[in-house]
Amino acid sequence: MNHSRTETPPRAAAADAGLLRETLTESAYAITPSRPPLAAVERAGRRIRRRRRAVVAGAGCGLLLVPLTVLALRGTDSDTDRAMPPATSAAASPSVAAGKVRVVTPGERVAVGTGTKLWLAPDGLYWKRPDLPVQSQNITDGNIAVNQPGVEMRTYGEKTGALLFGTFHGKGEAARVRIETADGDIEGTALTLAGSRGWGAWYTALKSSSTSQGPFDGGARRVTVYDATGGVIAQTDFPR
C-alpha cells in the first residue's frame, strides 16, 4: 500500500512564521508591566552608601592613628631620656652639703674680705691686712699639736661685718667647712696646698645685722671640717 506525505510549501511556512510573530507581538503589547519597587531600591542604595562611608571613614582614622602612634612612641623615648637622672659622683655623701675647697700654690694670695689676703706656705698660714704687717701661724714649729685634730680661729670685726679664718689639722682631705653661729650655720671655704695632707686653712666673711656700735665678731661657736664622705677631720668649740 502506498502512503503519500503532504509537504508544506515554503511560502506557506514563511506565512505561518510571520503570523506567529504578529500574534506574539500583539500579546506582548497587551501585557501591562507591574510597577517597579522604587522604594526598596532606594533603601538598598542608602544602605550601600552608608557602608561605603563607614569603610572610608574607618580607613581614614586608621591612617591618622598610625602617625599618632609613632609620635607617641617617639615622645615616650624622649621623655624617658629626659627623666634619666644625670650621673653623679659616688664620692660625695648625700647627707652632706657640697662645700667650697680651693687648692692654691705656695704664696698665692687670696682676697677674703675686709681688705685681708690669705696665702699658704709649706710651714703654715700667712695673712695681711691693710693696716697691719704680715702675720702668720706656723704649723711646723711645734706650737700647735698637729698630732691631734683641731681648728684655730681668728676674727677681725667691724660694724658692718666680720672675717673669720684660721687653720685646721687632722687626718683626711678637706671637702667642706661648717661654722655654727648664734644666728645659724654657715658654710666656709677651705684652702689647701696641692699634695698637702693633714692641714690647711679656712675662712668665711659675715655681714652684721646688729645695730650695735661695737665691732661685730660673727659669734662663731663651733667650726667643723669634713671630708668628702661626711667624716669629721677636725672640730673645735669656741666658748662665748
Side-chain angles (χ1 to χ4, degrees):
M1 184 176 53
N2 293 332
H3 297 280
S4 62
R5 186 175 57 184
T6 303
E7 295 182 0
T8 305
R11 291 184 178 178
D16 292 340
L19 180 59
L20 179 60
R21 282 196 298 271
E22 290 179 3
T23 303
L24 292 175
T25 300
E26 291 179 358
S27 299
Y29 278 119
I31 297 174
T32 302
S34 60
R35 185 176 181 178
L38 298 179
V41 172
E42 186 176 356
R43 286 195 298 272
R46 283 198 297 267
R47 286 196 298 270
I48 293 173
R49 286 194 295 271
R50 283 197 297 270
R51 284 196 295 269
R52 288 179 178 175
R53 284 196 295 266
V55 171
V56 173
C61 292
L63 292 175
L64 289 174
L65 288 174
V66 169
L68 288 176
T69 304
V70 173
L71 289 175
L73 291 175
R74 290 180 179 175
T76 302
D77 293 340
S78 179
D79 293 341
T80 302
D81 294 340
R82 286 196 297 270
M84 293 179 64
T88 57
S89 173
S93 171
S95 61
V96 178
K100 297 179 181 179
V101 178
R102 182 169 177 176
V103 180
V104 296
T105 58
E108 180 182 348
R109 300 197 175 196
V110 179
V112 295
T114 67
T116 304
K117 293 183 179 180
L118 305 180
W119 65 94
L120 299 181
D123 60 348
L125 170 66
Y126 291 76
W127 65 94
K128 176 69 174 70
R129 287 181 57 82
D131 56 343
L132 295 173
V134 175
Q135 302 181 64
S136 66
Q137 183 178 38
N138 197 296
I139 295 292
T140 62
D141 61 1
N143 291 327
I144 297 177
V146 294
N147 59 332
Q148 297 179 359
V151 179
E152 292 73 43
M153 180 176 69
R154 282 173 170 76
T155 302
Y156 286 125
E158 300 176 349
K159 293 181 180 180
T160 57
L163 174 65
L164 282 60
F165 69 96
T167 59
F168 65 87
H169 43 88
K171 294 182 179 180
E173 184 174 354
R176 178 193 175 208
V177 180
R178 184 181 68 181
I179 301 98
E180 299 176 43
T181 73
D183 297 328
D185 297 352
I186 57 175
E187 295 293 320
T189 300
L191 295 178
T192 62
L193 287 173
S196 176
R197 297 292 186 275
W199 74 277
W202 65 273
Y203 72 89
T204 188
L206 306 177
K207 291 184 178 181
S208 174
S209 59
S210 173
T211 57
S212 172
Q213 297 300 314
F216 172 62
D217 64 1
R221 297 178 175 178
R222 175 183 292 177
V223 178
T224 307
V225 181
Y226 299 92
D227 62 19
T229 64
V232 175
I233 295 177
Q235 183 181 81
T236 298
D237 293 333
F238 298 95
R240 300 300 303 169

